[in-house]
């Protein structure tokens, strides 16, 4: 165990102390650290636990940006994998290893208990290795859902879908034995049969709180398999029953956004708290005026290019499309070329986050390197390509009009908090579920239509250009986009009201703090020598 950056009340035995354990991925670390800061403002001392690899990366970027947080202690534990393991690139093997970390967490909790009591352990909703260790030591356990509530509800109701014969999907025919779901990437390809196509288009009517617009194909991709016995099915069968045993579940969402789903979760847990958007902070000025604003988490595992903000400063208001596909998603060379050509044809200015690992074997394709270099040269007067961006600052910049996104939940909640419409390109896990809500429930974005080429779905450059032009259209020229912008502004306002004093999320956070404080007062963990 490694401990670094202890600030504030070291050694104190008074007050509230939460141990926060995110799943080791950027999209889970960011909201967990945002939650940590909210709790510090409520009088908590935080021990923030990362795997060694992510801890080192986080400490490096925070040191470069001179970021510190009082009352947050950053701790690392080994995930048991060698440094060169692909980790999330091989999600099944990685998660299997993470689920065996119970003894490491028990050792950590005992060491922390020697210093002071632990009020609660807040573990990622799918990182359940810590739960038995905490319960064994008499420590209350809180599950934190960093994804959307609708995604979590879908996972929890896997048994409902199986008993209703919605899942698994019909098997592929003998002449096309390759399944439509890629077991490594969790990307769902085109249907392999007419029976599968019909099954995927069927209405999803058995999900409590789910939108009536949902279809079976809108379920999280790990569920959309042909097999009744997969790693993911076994994973959910083990992890789902642990959720009712948690003292409560926290969600990074707000009631005006996902109220129907949240209200239908009583069988998951009796204490459901929507405390988001965690990216928004409410403060009171010296003259007593309350202000709600976006606050960065200081959680980046990659170096952010802040020069893009000065580039945006030179652009007209609402003139730039921001393009980012998150920290994990990759694409084929063919799809990358289609996106590049479509963005160029659209004629609009854009910032594009192009990670070094965005394309598989990019450096080995010399012809693509030549084509892409020519694209960069042709668009240099209206385009900026960066390896990573300070996304919250970019989305809240007045020059940004829309966001082309992979539909990960952090990106969505940041876009909603900034009032920025979205253009969705979902790929795996929760992204297609989230995109259904973006386009058909909240109506704050558009989605690309793909074509099937050689058995794979590809968004052609013409579709990219068409949808970019639509989402960037001037006010009053496209009724659908005008409605999307109006809805985006309304949800932005609702999110700010939720975290403001007396708002639904502010009240939920207060109730949560009172609940764990009461448990800490009326119970104490066993003593350890």
């Amino acid at each position: 165990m490694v401990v670094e950056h202890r600030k504030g009340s070291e050694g104190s035995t008074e007050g509230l102390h939460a141990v926060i354990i995110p799943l080791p991925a950027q999209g889970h670390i960011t909201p967990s650290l945002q939650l940590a800061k909210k709790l510090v403002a409520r009088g908590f001392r935080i021990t923030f636990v990362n795997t060694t690899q992510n801890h080192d990366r986080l400490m490096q970027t925070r040191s470069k940006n001179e970021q510190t947080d009082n009352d947050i202690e950053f701790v690392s534990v080994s995930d048991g994998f060698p440094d060169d393991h692909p980790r999330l690139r091989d999600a099944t093997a990685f998660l299997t290893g993470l689920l065996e970390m119970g003894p490491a967490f028990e050792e950590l909790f005992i060491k922390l208990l020697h210093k002071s009591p632990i009020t609660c352990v807040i573990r990622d909703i799918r990182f359940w290795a810590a739960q038995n260790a905490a319960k064994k030591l008499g420590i209350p356990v809180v599950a934190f859902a960093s994804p959307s509530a609708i995604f979590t509800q879908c996972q929890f109701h896997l048994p409902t879908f199986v008993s209703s014969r919605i899942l698994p999907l019909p098997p592929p025919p003998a002449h096309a034995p390759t399944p439509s779901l890629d077991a490594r990437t969790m990307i769902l390809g085109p249907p392999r049969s007419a029976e599968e196509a019909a099954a995927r288009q069927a209405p999803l009517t058995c999900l409590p709180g789910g939108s009536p617009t949902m279809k079976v194909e809108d379920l999280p991709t790990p569920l959309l398999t042909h097999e009744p016995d997969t790693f993911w099915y076994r994973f959910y069968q083990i992890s789902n029953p642990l959720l009712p045993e948690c003292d409560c579940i926290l969600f990074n969402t707000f009631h005006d956004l996902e109220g129907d789903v949240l209200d239908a979760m009583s069988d998951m847990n009796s204490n459901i708290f929507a405390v988001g958007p965690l990216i928004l902070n409410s403060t009171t000025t010296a003259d007593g005026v309350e202000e709600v604003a976006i606050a960065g988490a200081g959680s980046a595992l990659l170096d952010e290019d802040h020069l893009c903000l000065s580039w945006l400063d030179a652009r007209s208001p609402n003139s730039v499309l921001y393009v980012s596909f998150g920290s994990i998603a990759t694409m084929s060379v063919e799809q990358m070329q289609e996106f590049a050509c479509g963005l160029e044809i659209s004629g609009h200015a854009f910032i594009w986050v192009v990670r070094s690992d965005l394309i598989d074997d990019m450096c080995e394709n010399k012809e693509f390197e030549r084509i892409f270099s020519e694209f960069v040269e042709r668009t240099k007067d209206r385009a900026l390509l960066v390896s990573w961006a300070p996304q919250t600052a970019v989305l809240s910049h007045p020059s940004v009009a829309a966001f082309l996104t992979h539909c990960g939940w952090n990106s969505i909640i940041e876009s909603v908090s900034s009032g920025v419409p979205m253009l969705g390109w979902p790929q795996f896990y929760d992204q297609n579920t989230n995109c259904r809500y973006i386009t058909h429930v909240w109506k704050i974005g558009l989605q690309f239509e793909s074509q099937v080429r050689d058995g794979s779905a590809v968004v052609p450059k013409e579709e990219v250009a068409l949808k970019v032009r639509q989402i960037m259209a001037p006010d009053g020229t496209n009724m659908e986009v005008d409605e999307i912008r109006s809805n985006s502004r309304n949800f932005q306002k609702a999110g700010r009201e939720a975290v403001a004093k007396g708002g639904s999320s502010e009240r939920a956070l207060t109730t949560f703090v009172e609940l764990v404080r009461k448990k800490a007062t009326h119970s104490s963990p066993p003593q350890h020598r």
Side-chain angles (χ1 to χ4, degrees), residues 28 41 145 168 227 268 291 319-320 341 509:
H28 296 255
E227 302 294 332
M268 186 183 299
E291 295 181 348
S319 65
V320 177
C341 290
L509 189 59

Side-chain angles (χ1 to χ4, degrees), residues 84 110 127 171 174 176 194 209 222 262 275 333 341 346 382 389 403 483 498:
D84 60 353
I110 291 173
F127 200 178
L262 293 164
V275 296
V333 167
C341 290
S346 76
R382 60 180 172 89
F403 181 15
E483 181 186 9

Side-chain angles (χ1 to χ4, degrees), residues 324-327 329 403-409 411 423-427 431:
S324 177
F325 302 116
S327 59
F403 181 15
L404 200 170
T405 173
H406 65 305
C407 301
W409 186 243
S411 291
L423 184 53
W425 185 62
Q427 290 296 286
Q431 296 167 13

Side-chain angles (χ1 to χ4, degrees), residues 188-190 332-339 425 427 448-464:
L188 185 68
S332 65
V333 167
E334 179 184 16
Q335 185 61 81
M336 186 75 168
Q337 288 177 319
E338 297 295 331
F339 271 124
W425 185 62
Q427 290 296 286
F448 291 120
E449 299 293 334
S450 60
Q451 297 178 347
V452 178
R453 297 181 185 174
D454 298 325
S456 298
V458 177
V459 180
K461 59 180 180 292
E462 295 83 3
E463 171 71 0
V464 174

Side-chain angles (χ1 to χ4, degrees), residues 79-356:
D79 59 17
F81 290 96
D83 291 342
D84 60 353
H85 190 276
R87 289 175 168 79
L88 287 171
R89 302 293 181 200
D90 187 358
T92 300
F94 188 43
L95 280 175
T96 300
L98 294 181
L99 300 181
E100 298 173 355
M101 289 180 64
F105 286 125
E106 183 174 353
E107 179 183 357
L108 170 63
F109 299 155
I110 291 173
K111 288 181 179 180
L112 293 174
L113 284 169
H114 278 310
K115 298 179 181 180
S116 67
I118 299 174
T119 305
C120 62
V121 167
I122 304 176
R123 56 94 171 175
D124 188 278
I125 198 165
R126 291 302 169 194
F127 200 178
W128 44 266
Q131 182 152 330
N132 288 339
K135 290 291 187 182
K136 179 179 177 181
L137 297 170
I139 306 170
V141 175
V142 175
F144 173 49
S146 48
S148 60
I150 183 59
F151 171 66
T152 306
Q153 182 77 327
C154 288
Q155 291 178 317
F156 187 76
H157 280 275
L158 173 59
T160 302
F161 306 140
V162 174
S163 64
S164 300
R165 300 183 181 273
I166 290 174
L167 295 177
L169 294 175
H175 67 273
T178 304
S180 52
L181 181 69
D182 188 309
R184 182 182 66 87
T185 65
M186 289 294 107
I187 293 176
L188 185 68
R192 295 299 188 249
S193 66
E195 292 77 12
E196 182 187 343
R200 284 163 60 166
Q201 288 297 311
L204 190 67
T205 58
C206 59
L207 179 64
S211 167
T213 71
M214 290 186 73
K215 301 177 182 178
V216 171
E217 68 177 1
D218 298 320
L219 288 170
T221 60
L223 305 186
L224 297 174
T225 174
H226 305 287
E227 302 294 332
D229 183 29
T230 67
F231 166 80
W232 292 101
Y233 275 40
R234 295 190 299 272
F235 177 78
Y236 296 134
Q237 287 168 359
I238 295 172
S239 62
N240 283 341
L242 295 176
L243 296 179
E245 298 177 9
C246 294
D247 290 270
C248 63
I249 303 178
L250 304 179
F251 284 88
N252 183 21
T253 188
F254 55 102
H255 206 270
D256 280 349
L257 192 66
E258 294 193 274
D260 289 345
V261 182
L262 293 164
D263 292 342
M265 286 183 161
S266 58
D267 54 343
M268 186 183 299
N269 195 281
S270 57
N271 293 310
I272 298 290
F273 299 115
V275 296
L278 291 171
I279 190 176
L280 294 176
N281 278 342
S282 173
T283 58
T284 303
T285 63
D287 54 0
V289 177
E290 184 181 23
E291 295 181 348
V292 176
I294 290 175
S299 60
L301 301 180
L302 300 172
D303 289 332
E304 298 174 333
D305 185 348
H306 288 268
L307 292 177
C308 61
L309 299 178
S310 58
W311 184 87
L312 283 170
D313 289 340
R315 297 282 158 176
S316 302
N318 299 314
S319 65
V320 177
L321 175 72
Y322 173 57
V323 184
S324 177
F325 302 116
S327 59
I328 299 175
T330 60
M331 67 179 71
S332 65
V333 167
E334 179 184 16
Q335 185 61 81
M336 186 75 168
Q337 288 177 319
E338 297 295 331
F339 271 124
C341 290
L343 289 170
E344 181 178 2
I345 295 170
S346 76
H348 288 282
F350 58 90
I351 289 180
W352 190 357
V353 176
V354 182
R355 303 187 329 266
S356 60

Side-chain angles (χ1 to χ4, degrees), residues 330-483:
T330 60
M331 67 179 71
S332 65
V333 167
E334 179 184 16
Q335 185 61 81
M336 186 75 168
Q337 288 177 319
E338 297 295 331
F339 271 124
C341 290
L343 289 170
E344 181 178 2
I345 295 170
S346 76
H348 288 282
F350 58 90
I351 289 180
W352 190 357
V353 176
V354 182
R355 303 187 329 266
S356 60
D357 60 347
L358 182 60
I359 305 178
D360 292 329
D361 302 324
M362 181 175 178
C363 295
E364 298 177 11
N365 193 317
K366 300 301 180 183
E367 177 63 14
F368 173 75
E369 286 186 354
R370 181 189 64 80
I371 293 173
F372 197 73
S373 295
E374 292 175 354
F375 154 76
V376 172
E377 178 63 25
R378 289 194 303 270
T379 59
K380 64 182 181 181
D381 291 337
R382 60 180 172 89
L384 178 67
L385 274 62
V386 297
S387 59
W388 199 243
Q391 182 160 290
T392 55
V394 170
L395 286 172
S396 58
H397 196 284
S399 294
V400 172
F403 181 15
L404 200 170
T405 173
H406 65 305
C407 301
W409 186 243
N410 278 343
S411 291
I412 291 173
I413 209 73
E414 290 166 4
S415 197
V416 167
S417 298
S418 303
V420 175
M422 285 168 275
L423 184 53
W425 185 62
Q427 290 296 286
F428 49 71
Y429 294 106
D430 62 331
Q431 296 167 13
N432 58 319
T433 309
N434 296 337
C435 194
R436 163 61 63 167
Y437 268 67
I438 288 171
T439 56
H440 289 79
V441 181
W442 306 320
K443 298 183 179 179
I444 54 176
L446 302 173
Q447 181 177 1
F448 291 120
E449 299 293 334
S450 60
Q451 297 178 347
V452 178
R453 297 181 185 174
D454 298 325
S456 298
V458 177
V459 180
K461 59 180 180 292
E462 295 83 3
E463 171 71 0
V464 174
L466 173 66
K467 290 293 171 61
V468 169
R469 285 169 175 164
Q470 285 183 341
I471 204 71
M472 298 291 290
D475 287 339
T477 61
N478 186 306
M479 291 182 62
E480 181 181 11
V481 173
D482 285 348
E483 181 186 9

